[in-house]
Amino acid sequence: MTMDTEYGYGVARSPEPRRHLLPPVLRAPFEARTFREFGYLLLSLPISIVLFVWAVTAVSLSAGLLVTFIGIPLMAVALLGCRAFGVMERARARVLLGVEIAEPQPVRSRGGLMSWIGGVLKSGVSWRHLLYSVLHFPWALFAFCTTLPIWLTGWALFTYPVWQWVFPMYAGQAGLQLYGDDHHNVYLDSPGRIALTSLVGLLITLAVPWLIRGFAVMDRVMVIGLLGPSHLEERVTELESDRGVVVDTSAADLRRIERDLHDGAQARLVALAMDLGLAKEKLSDCATWPAASTRPSSPTAASTRPSPPSPPAARSRCRSRWTCRPGRSRRSRASRTSPSPSCSRTSASTAARAGPPSTCGGPATA
């Protein structure tokens, strides 16, 4: 059953407990749980007899033959038979006792007959199944001989007013004989004795279901403790599961880091290549724009005729790339052929031939 909330999601709501008109003490003899547990106790006796006979016979035979090689495989077969009966007992406990029991660890073997035999003999689950087969028989016998007679006696006494008429009609006596000897006999034949007998039977009938549940609790403990997985195995399984989760998480993180490193380095390399391309383009523009200008034929013409204007793009690139240091003269046209990168004064003949000094961004106008 689900319940809608203000956010639009359905929230699971536990079913409301069923209301009973009678208290648990009065309705216990008529509940289905009582009959299921009572049936479990009744079935336990014949099943435990078979288990006990198998365990004692097979283990005794294999133990006697351990001096030979045949005893070891027979011991493995005996333990395997106990494990097979354990599967049946777990299924019976799930159906009749309502116990959820996990399956124990299977036999671990690396392959081959000898490896399988060694796995069966070294498994603690196999020996716990053998212990259950031996211990369950006396307990099942005690539970069977206790619950069945008391259960039948309680119901018989409780319903005594119904079938009391059988004694005077067919047995030749007034009622159920409570005490008798050669001189005195006590029969449950009066209305008061009949009512008292029925009341005693009612009390026994109301008490037997709780006795059955106590026996069933002990059976649950035996089944869970001896036929289920041990706490060590559960802990090992939990640690293996946690280890698998940690390994998967670490692998995912490692793949993410590798992907990030690869993509980041590639992006940086592309950006560096673009920066280098732009720098190369600026250097080529700065080195080629003065060659396009027309050189004067004589110093007189150079002094009278203005130089052609430099391209704006080239001038801006060259000015941004080549800037004279403070306190020094700017680079002249003739200084570009000098191997020295710094701005310096040229000789008089070079200055007369090249004209007045100009900035790196282009020749000065007259």
Side-chain angles (χ1 to χ4, degrees):
M1 182 182 298
T2 59
M3 177 178 61
D4 297 334
T5 62
E6 58 181 353
Y7 302 102
Y9 296 98
V11 179
R13 182 175 59 184
S14 59
E16 297 180 357
R18 184 180 177 183
R19 296 181 179 179
H20 299 277
L21 299 177
L22 298 177
V25 177
L26 297 180
R27 69 172 184 267
F30 308 100
E31 288 182 342
R33 173 185 174 181
T34 303
F35 289 96
R36 288 197 304 267
E37 294 176 349
F38 183 66
Y40 182 88
L41 296 178
L42 292 182
L43 292 175
S44 294
L45 180 61
I47 294 176
S48 63
I49 292 175
V50 176
L51 283 175
F52 185 81
V53 171
W54 167 263
V56 172
T57 304
V59 173
S60 301
L61 180 62
S62 59
L65 295 176
L66 282 179
V67 293
T68 63
F69 180 75
I70 303 177
I72 298 177
L74 286 180
M75 180 67 71
V77 172
L79 296 178
L80 184 63
C82 294
R83 291 178 67 114
F85 282 113
V87 175
M88 180 188 64
E89 286 294 285
R90 284 191 294 271
R92 190 166 66 97
R94 293 190 190 102
V95 175
L96 298 178
L97 298 181
V99 181
E100 292 297 333
I101 309 174
E103 294 294 331
Q105 293 292 334
V107 178
R108 297 181 179 180
S109 62
R110 299 179 179 178
L113 180 60
M114 297 305 299
S115 177
W116 177 80
I117 293 175
V120 172
L121 295 178
K122 291 186 297 183
S123 176
V125 177
S126 302
W127 295 102
R128 285 192 283 113
H129 280 68
L130 176 63
L131 184 62
Y132 175 84
S133 302
V134 175
L135 296 180
H136 189 249
F137 169 68
W139 171 253
L141 179 62
F142 173 73
F144 182 90
C145 295
T146 303
T147 56
L148 182 61
I150 297 178
W151 181 264
L152 295 178
T153 301
W155 281 104
L157 295 179
F158 177 63
T159 58
Y160 179 69
V162 178
W163 55 273
Q164 186 270 338
W165 60 270
V166 175
F167 291 95
M169 183 174 293
Y170 296 99
Q173 57 186 21
L176 185 64
Q177 186 177 2
L178 183 62
Y179 174 78
D181 53 17
D182 297 337
H183 304 285
H184 185 70
N185 295 319
V186 178
Y187 294 97
L188 301 176
D189 52 354
S190 64
R193 293 178 179 179
I194 294 175
L196 183 60
T197 303
S198 180
L199 180 60
V200 172
L202 176 62
L203 295 178
I204 296 175
T205 304
L206 295 177
V208 168
W210 304 100
L211 180 64
I212 292 175
R213 293 185 182 185
F215 284 115
V217 169
M218 188 61 188
D219 279 296
R220 289 189 183 94
V221 173
M222 294 183 63
V223 171
I224 295 175
L226 297 178
L227 300 183
S230 63
H231 296 287
L232 180 60
E233 292 178 353
E234 293 179 354
R235 183 59 179 169
V236 170
T237 304
E238 182 180 357
L239 292 177
E240 290 178 353
S241 177
D242 295 342
R243 179 180 177 274
V245 173
V246 171
V247 170
D248 295 340
T249 305
S250 301
D253 293 340
L254 181 60
R255 289 192 297 268
R256 179 179 56 82
I257 293 173
E258 291 178 351
R259 183 172 61 253
D260 294 343
L261 291 175
H262 179 269
D263 297 342
Q266 186 176 5
R268 286 193 292 270
L269 289 175
V270 172
L272 181 60
M274 294 177 64
D275 294 340
L276 291 177
L278 293 176
K280 183 177 180 181
E281 183 181 357
K282 291 178 181 180
L283 289 176
S284 62
D285 292 343
C286 184
T288 57
W289 73 265
S293 62
T294 304
R295 293 179 178 272
S297 59
S298 62
T300 306
S303 61
T304 58
R305 187 174 59 185
S307 300
S310 61
R315 186 164 59 248
S316 62
R317 294 194 189 99
C318 185
R319 187 176 291 114
S320 63
R321 182 64 178 172
W322 300 98
T323 304
C324 297
R325 296 179 181 177
R328 297 185 180 181
S329 60
R330 297 181 178 180
R331 182 183 298 270
S332 62
R333 183 182 301 174
S335 64
R336 287 193 303 272
T337 60
S338 175
S340 176
S342 63
C343 297
S344 62
R345 295 182 178 276
T346 59
S347 60
S349 59
T350 306
R353 183 173 66 255
S358 62
T359 63
C360 188
T365 57

